[in-house]
């Protein structure tokens, strides 16, 4: 099962992560098996030059990483049924820096979730377990990605907006003041 899981998650990693590394480890437990699936994808570092006139708040991520750890416990039952218990943790790190600018931000955090599902399997084919818990991992990663986006990015946007909000009128007044000061300087 371990070899099949490594082959399957290597393809999964290439399709969903377009790089990175993955590794699977399986072992026997009373009444079934367990398997740990680890996937790591890092990017960067490469500070992005800020185009002329571009708003520094629109800076893209210069480096970051996605570290996912999934542990599946399979309790094999009667009638070719298996109860899969999945526990997943994802750690996300993002660094943003614009070349030539003083702005830099770091954001990191982790999220853990678990789920259980009973599925049928082919007792003659251990790969059927890999397909079953692979579907669970795929579903869980989607949920975790959505939750991370909402919790970290949504909350960060909310906090930043509450600390500093400049409406259009105030921006126009600031722009006019700067233009007037520049005109006097000449």
């Amino acid at each position: 099962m371990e070899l099949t899981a490594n082959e399957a998650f290597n393809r999964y990693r290439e399709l969903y992560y377009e790089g990175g590394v993955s590794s699977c480890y399986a072992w026997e437990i009373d009444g079934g098996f367990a398997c740990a699936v680890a996937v790591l994808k890092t990017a960067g570092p490469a500070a992005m030059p800020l185009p002329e006139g571009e708003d520094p708040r629109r800076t893209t991520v210069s480096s970051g990483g996605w570290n996912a750890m999934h542990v599946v416990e399979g309790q094999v039952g009667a009638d070719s049924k298996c109860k899969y218990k999945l526990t997943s943790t994802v750690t996300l790190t993002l660094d943003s820096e614009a070349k030539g600018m003083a702005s830099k931000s770091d954001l990191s955090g982790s999220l853990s979730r678990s789920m259980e599902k009973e599925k049928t399997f082919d007792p003659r084919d251990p790969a059927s377990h890999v397909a079953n818990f692979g579907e669970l991992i795929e579903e869980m990663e989607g949920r975790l990605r959505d939750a991370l986006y909402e919790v970290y990015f949504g909350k960060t946007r909310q906090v930043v907006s509450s600390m500093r909000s400049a409406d259009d009128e105030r921006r126009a007044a600031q722009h006019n003041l700067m233009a007037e000061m520049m005109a006097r300087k000449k």
Side-chain angles (χ1 to χ4, degrees), residues 32-50:
F33 67 91
C35 185
V37 178
V39 181
L40 173 66
K41 169 69 185 239
T42 57
M48 304 298 287
L50 193 62

Side-chain angles (χ1 to χ4, degrees), residues 137-156:
I137 289 173
E138 183 178 28
E139 178 183 338
M140 180 64 80
E141 280 203 343
R143 287 182 186 177
L144 290 170
R145 182 184 58 248
D146 292 345
L148 281 168
Y149 182 80
E150 185 62 36
V151 169
Y152 291 102
F153 298 109
K155 192 64 172 175
T156 300

Side-chain angles (χ1 to χ4, degrees), residues 56-129:
R57 293 172 293 172
R58 301 239 183 255
T59 304
T60 58
V61 173
S62 59
S63 66
W66 175 276
N67 184 356
M69 175 60 73
H70 307 280
V71 179
V72 180
E73 180 182 317
Q75 290 293 322
V76 178
D79 300 327
S80 299
K81 298 238 184 220
C82 185
K83 184 176 184 180
Y84 300 97
K85 180 179 179 184
L86 172 64
T87 303
S88 299
T89 300
V90 170
T91 303
L92 177 68
T93 59
L94 300 172
D95 299 320
S96 177
E97 182 176 3
K99 203 180 261 186
M101 298 293 294
S103 65
K104 180 178 181 177
S105 63
D106 301 321
L107 176 67
S108 61
S110 65
L111 193 58
S112 296
R113 296 284 187 267
S114 61
M115 68 187 292
E116 292 184 21
K117 208 172 253 188
E118 187 173 82
K119 295 179 147 254
T120 59
F121 71 98
D122 182 352
R124 298 162 294 169
D125 183 13
S128 64
H129 285 299

